Amino acid sequence: MIDYKVMINGLAVDAFYSEECVENIFIPLLKRLTELQRQKNRRILVMLAAPPGAGKSTLCSFLEKLSKETDGVTPLQAIGMDGFHRRQEYLTCHTTIRDGKEIKMVEIKGAPETFDLDLMKSRIQSITREDSLGWPIYDRTLHNPVDNAIEVESDIVLLEGNYLLLNQPGWDEVSKYADYTISIVADENQLRNRLIERKALSGNSIEKATAFVDYSDMVNVKTCLKYSKEADLTLQVKSDNTIECIGSK
C-alpha cells in the first residue's frame, strides 16, 4: 500500500492506495490523458465527479503528484469547483425550499443551488481558450471563495467536484466542455460514515455531525449517485476503501 498524507481543505488526510491500483488504473489513466492531450495538441480539461465523502479531492491531489513523478506522462494540475460557492452573505439572505419548507440557503451550503453555476460555466469555458487564467478556491476559514487564488497553467487540467456530471437543468451543460470524464461511486452508508467522521474532525460532536450529515450531506450524496451521467471512466470505492474500475468507454 502507498501511504499518501496531504492537507485537504485544512484537514490532514491520510489516504492509502494499493500498488495494484496505481499500476493498473492510475498510471494507465495518466498515459491515456497524455495521449489525448498530444492528439488534440492543446490544453485538455478532465472532469472528475463524485459524491461527498468519496475522496475525490484527495485522489486528484494524488494523481497530480503521481503525474509529476511518472516518466512519459504529462504533468496535470488539479483544481476544484468549490471556489464557485456563492458568498456567505448571499446564502444568509436568500432562501430555497427543502422538504416543503422555506429555509435559508446557508443551511444547505454545498447543495447544487448554493453554487454560482453561470459563473462556473463561464470560467470552465476559459480553461481551454486561455494560456493562463486565475482560478478561485474556497477558504474554509473565511467561509467564502477567494478569486484568482491559483493560476491554471498545465496542459492537462483535472477539475473535481460533486456535480460536474449532474444531469439536471443547467448542470447538464457542464460536462460538454470536458475532453474526458471520470466518476467515482460508493455505497451510501460508507459515504455517510466517512462524512460523519470528517465533520467530527472539524470540531463538532458526533451528535451534531450526524445531524448535519443526515440533513444536508446525504441529500447531496443521493443526488450525485442517482442523477449523474455516465462517465468515460467509472471507479468504485470498495468496502475496504480500495478503488476498482467498474466501467470504461
Side-chain angles (χ1 to χ4, degrees):
M1 298 291 284
I2 297 173
D3 186 8
Y4 181 58
K5 293 180 171 63
V6 66
M7 294 294 293
I8 300 291
N9 294 326
L11 294 177
V13 176
D14 193 359
F16 297 88
Y17 300 107
S18 70
E19 293 185 8
E20 179 183 9
C21 180
V22 171
E23 293 296 327
N24 296 334
I25 299 178
F26 296 163
I27 290 179
L29 170 62
L30 294 175
K31 289 181 177 179
R32 185 172 185 177
L33 298 180
T34 296
E35 180 60 27
L36 181 62
Q37 189 276 324
R38 289 172 180 168
Q39 288 174 358
K40 299 205 172 190
N41 195 31
R42 60 163 174 79
R43 173 182 290 153
I44 65 169
L45 174 60
V46 183
M47 292 185 183
L48 186 150
K56 65 188 179 305
S57 300
T58 305
L59 176 57
C60 288
S61 173
F62 180 73
L63 288 173
E64 178 178 306
K65 177 177 182 291
L66 186 63
S67 72
K68 295 174 181 177
E69 298 173 348
T70 304
D71 293 336
V73 304
T74 300
L76 63 80
Q77 181 178 7
I79 59 176
M81 62 167 269
D82 280 355
F84 296 99
H85 272 101
R86 291 193 181 275
R87 294 188 62 82
Q88 191 78 353
E89 50 268 32
Y90 179 98
L91 298 176
T92 55
C93 65
H94 286 75
T95 62
T96 188
I97 302 298
R98 171 66 62 90
D99 298 330
K101 286 179 53 181
E102 184 178 15
I103 62 170
K104 290 185 177 180
M105 295 181 76
V106 72
E107 295 181 43
I108 55 167
K109 190 171 184 176
E113 58 265 43
T114 65
F115 286 86
D116 190 335
L117 178 57
D118 289 337
L119 177 60
M120 188 179 78
K121 286 192 287 190
S122 174
R123 297 291 283 277
I124 284 175
Q125 292 177 63
S126 298
I127 289 178
T128 54
R129 294 177 181 171
E130 301 180 21
D131 291 337
S132 179
L133 75 151
W135 193 260
I137 63 168
Y138 183 76
D139 190 318
R140 289 186 180 274
T141 61
L142 299 175
H143 302 291
N144 266 324
V146 178
D147 201 13
N148 298 321
I150 56 177
E151 285 290 315
V152 176
E153 300 175 317
S154 299
D155 286 334
I156 300 176
V157 177
L158 176 58
L159 172 62
E160 57 91 357
N162 297 137
Y163 310 117
L164 297 173
L165 294 178
L166 192 61
N167 195 18
Q168 292 187 339
W171 288 94
D172 55 0
E173 302 171 2
V174 173
S175 62
K176 72 180 182 181
Y177 303 112
D179 296 286
Y180 190 83
T181 58
I182 305 167
S183 175
I184 304 176
V185 297
D187 175 76
E188 282 186 24
N189 288 329
Q190 181 181 9
L191 294 173
R192 179 177 181 270
N193 291 336
R194 282 184 168 198
L195 288 164
I196 291 171
E197 180 181 359
R198 186 171 74 184
K199 193 71 176 175
L201 285 175
S202 62
N204 295 279
S205 67
I206 290 295
E207 293 77 15
K208 189 173 181 179
T210 301
F212 178 85
V213 167
D214 285 342
Y215 179 72
S216 182
D217 282 343
M218 289 309 296
V219 175
N220 301 333
V221 166
K222 294 175 191 294
T223 296
C224 292
L225 292 176
K226 187 175 181 179
Y227 298 110
S228 291
K229 302 176 186 177
E230 182 182 1
D232 294 314
L233 176 68
T234 303
L235 306 177
Q236 182 175 41
V237 181
K238 299 196 294 183
S239 58
D240 61 357
N241 290 324
T242 60
I243 294 176
E244 65 177 350
C245 175
I246 61 171
S248 179
K249 294 183 182 178

